[in-house]
Amino acid sequence: MSDPLDDAEIPSGPNASVQSGQSVDAAPKWSEQLQQRFGLTLKPDLASWFDDEIWRSPGNGEFAVAVSPETLLKSVPDPVWPPLMPPNFLPLVGSHAGDWLCLRLADGEAGAANVPYDLCHWYHGGGDWLPWGNTLAEALLFDQILPFLPASDHRHAIPSPMDNARSVEPGMNAWQDWMTRWLPETVQPIVQQQLWLSGGTGWIDDLMNAGVCAVAIGCQLVIDELSNELTRHLMPADANRMGIAWNDIMRWGFDLQALPADIANRLRDEGAVQTSAMDPGQQDWSRIESICERTHSLSPELAWAAELLGYCRLQRGDFSGATSAFLQSMRCSVFTDQSVRLRTHWATSGAEGMAKFGAYWLCRESNLHPEMWDRESLSSGANSASIANAVPASVSMSEYLDCLRNREEGSVRSRVTAFFLNCADLSSGSGQHADAVRCLYAAGWDLGTEPMKLYAELLRRLVDTCQLAGWTSHEILARMHRDCFRKRYGI
């Protein structure tokens, strides 16, 4: 990964004459230039980040390399990585492993209601993303506390090199002091005292109750509740030796209650694992449901929270509630399902797998009646038009599910892309340009699409349709992603 700080042009900020040693006219503040560049009002913490030039100093966490404002003001900033990075993402801080903390634009209608963006961790390895906070200060706090949260060893699907020596004395790190200053007053004592070093856990609940890093913390807590000794110790070689499909092992490890007694006896008798490793008491499904319900209410565009909420309800026999949650999860991009870390990927693998966990259960369980799908989906209200990166409520779920179930006409990605492009055409034709934008997002970033060159046309259409919808910030970012795509791939 190239160092974004090495990509800077001649300084053009308010301190330019000092930095360059030349006499130049005083330029507008960095925040003013960036707001004009992206048609976006920056939150106070991010404006301070740029104007006080905190980004010039190195950080002390996994995310330690800031993108300079000079780089962001370019027409084709090097850190932008289309098409895996969705076109409403703007990278701000990078890790040395290739991941980014990105500003993610809210839905165009939500952005007009003073909810312009949040901050997400974008995983370079597959394009997954997870909100880390409502502000950059929150996202940097989560970067600090992550090694001290439950299941911190499962923070990545594939382990990433991290600097665990994150703690610093106040006043010794510019990022730390800046972050503390811009966090809500109610949680500043947690940071000032670095309570995560105390060995206690009360600070976790305090942060969640304050709504600080609540979604990202919730994800770690669910991963921890799902963890068990069976999945820690049983290896593919064990399953192969016993003639048991590894996908079945993953399914049973996801929910130990589903492990058949005869398989458990075999695993014990053949010395693969101890009986205690298969004890369902290791998993607290009631707590998982509670965390997922709370997370889903905060971020209904995240597949993992809705998927596990549906599964919990299904196991309790709440078929109506399960149907509603699974249908809401269907409107979420697969890039938000955290399937490897949450061990739901068995449902999308093998001959019987479906592209989405929710689709697997909707098509498998007879109690989740198809005739209810569109009615339940439209009446749920959770996936309203104001949610970014989600399929709009105007799209028929029964028709969408037909695309996923059809195994005869090309790849599932190609079918889904064609389906959403048609939906976008219908929306545009009826003057519903905002819904057309949402359908274009889904065409490229619901499951992803193929071949790669198709993204050039998708991004072009997205730019034009955002303009028609009046989504100025989305239009500007989509144009940037389009230009970066052209530069990187020559398409």
Side-chain angles (χ1 to χ4, degrees):
M1 181 188 76
S2 61
D3 189 336
L5 293 177
D6 290 338
D7 196 27
E9 297 172 327
I10 295 173
S12 57
N15 298 325
S17 60
V18 175
Q19 296 158 14
S20 65
Q22 302 172 6
S23 177
V24 296
D25 294 335
K29 292 181 177 179
W30 291 123
S31 61
E32 294 172 355
Q33 295 183 62
L34 292 166
Q35 287 178 141
Q36 183 177 11
R37 167 76 174 93
F38 296 109
L40 178 69
T41 300
L42 299 181
K43 295 178 184 179
D45 75 309
L46 194 52
S48 166
W49 171 264
F50 288 115
D51 293 341
D52 296 339
E53 302 194 341
I54 309 301
W55 48 272
R56 288 193 180 277
S57 58
N60 68 316
E62 177 182 5
F63 290 88
V65 185
V67 184
S68 69
E70 294 102 333
T71 295
L72 293 176
L73 291 168
K74 289 184 174 184
S75 59
V76 283
D78 185 64
V80 177
W81 274 95
L84 276 178
M85 190 178 283
N88 60 333
F89 278 52
L90 180 67
L92 298 179
V93 184
S95 74
H96 291 292
D99 291 358
W100 291 96
L101 293 182
C102 294
L103 178 155
R104 179 182 69 114
L105 289 178
D107 180 274
E109 293 179 356
N114 293 321
V115 191
Y117 59 81
D118 61 7
L119 270 291
C120 290
H121 175 193
W122 178 80
Y123 299 78
H124 77 286
D128 286 2
W129 53 269
L130 175 70
W132 271 21
N134 295 314
T135 65
L136 179 59
E138 283 189 35
L140 293 179
L141 172 62
F142 188 75
D143 187 36
Q144 290 290 305
I145 65 176
L146 180 51
F148 305 94
L149 287 170
S152 62
D153 56 336
H154 291 88
R155 56 187 170 258
H156 292 279
I158 299 174
S160 169
M162 294 181 67
D163 175 15
N164 286 321
R166 297 160 179 263
S167 303
V168 294
E169 293 297 323
M172 297 296 291
N173 182 272
W175 289 29
Q176 188 90 3
D177 294 341
W178 173 87
M179 174 190 77
T180 304
R181 186 168 71 251
W182 286 103
L183 288 168
E185 289 184 7
T186 54
V187 303
Q188 285 182 3
I190 295 174
V191 184
Q192 291 165 342
Q193 300 170 41
Q194 299 185 46
L195 291 182
W196 48 86
L197 299 178
S198 66
T201 59
W203 58 273
I204 297 176
D205 289 335
D206 291 341
L207 288 176
M208 292 192 72
N209 291 334
V212 174
C213 308
V215 170
I217 292 174
C219 187
Q220 289 300 127
L221 296 180
V222 170
I223 292 170
D224 186 54
E225 291 295 344
L226 288 170
S227 65
N228 57 81
E229 293 300 312
L230 176 66
T231 54
R232 274 194 201 97
H233 297 298
L234 197 62
M235 296 290 106
D238 299 312
N240 185 59
R241 171 174 56 82
M242 299 174 65
I244 302 174
W246 182 243
N247 210 52
D248 288 336
I249 294 292
M250 289 192 294
R251 173 164 58 93
W252 298 326
F254 165 72
D255 182 359
L256 293 173
Q257 300 170 108
L259 180 63
D262 61 323
I263 298 295
N265 291 335
R266 284 189 61 196
L267 292 172
R268 180 200 62 209
D269 294 344
E270 298 192 29
V273 291
Q274 299 293 321
T275 300
S276 59
M278 300 176 282
D279 180 7
Q282 297 173 84
Q283 298 173 312
D284 186 344
W285 285 97
S286 176
R287 185 159 188 253
I288 291 171
E289 181 173 3
S290 176
I291 296 170
C292 288
E293 191 160 26
R294 180 175 182 172
T295 303
H296 178 58
S297 69
L298 292 172
S299 292
E301 69 272 33
L302 299 182
W304 67 266
E307 289 172 348
L308 289 181
L309 181 58
Y311 182 82
C312 291
R313 290 173 175 175
L314 181 65
Q315 301 312 304
R316 290 194 291 102
D318 178 6
F319 300 117
S320 176
T323 299
S324 178
F326 283 141
L327 286 169
Q328 290 167 45
S329 78
M330 291 289 295
R331 296 195 182 275
C332 305
S333 167
V334 295
F335 298 106
T336 68
D337 64 13
Q338 298 290 317
S339 61
V340 176
R341 296 204 300 151
L342 291 165
R343 304 187 185 280
T344 57
H345 56 312
W346 55 269
T348 61
S349 304
E352 300 303 317
M354 297 287 290
K356 292 186 173 182
F357 186 85
Y360 175 90
W361 289 106
L362 286 169
C363 297
R364 176 187 176 92
E365 288 292 318
S366 60
N367 288 309
L368 307 179
H369 303 294
E371 64 272 14
M372 298 172 57
W373 288 350
D374 281 331
R375 185 171 73 251
E376 286 284 340
S377 180
L378 291 172
S379 66
S380 67
N383 276 284
S384 64
S386 62
I387 296 172
N389 300 91
V391 177
S394 59
V395 172
S396 164
M397 277 293 98
S398 57
E399 293 180 6
Y400 176 45
L401 276 163
D402 283 343
C403 285
L404 297 182
R405 288 189 293 184
N406 181 357
R407 298 177 182 269
E408 298 178 358
E409 299 180 11
S411 74
V412 62
R413 288 190 180 91
S414 296
R415 288 197 307 273
V416 166
T417 295
F419 171 76
F420 283 123
L421 287 176
N422 182 61
C423 290
D425 288 339
L426 293 173
S427 294
S428 291
S430 60
Q432 302 297 316
H433 300 300
D435 259 11
V437 170
R438 299 177 184 113
C439 290
L440 289 172
Y441 272 120
W445 295 273
D446 180 52
L447 299 184
T449 192
E450 53 195 12
M452 176 78 76
K453 64 182 180 182
L454 182 58
Y455 279 103
E457 174 63 14
L458 270 174
L459 288 167
R460 184 197 65 77
R461 287 188 60 177
L462 190 59
V463 171
D464 294 343
T465 310
C466 284
Q467 186 176 51
L468 292 171
W471 288 20
T472 303
S473 297
H474 286 256
E475 176 192 348
I476 293 170
L477 275 190
R479 181 175 287 107
M480 174 186 287
H481 279 250
R482 181 201 64 189
D483 294 345
C484 290
F485 184 80
R486 287 174 174 171
K487 177 182 177 182
R488 186 161 285 120
Y489 300 106
I491 300 176

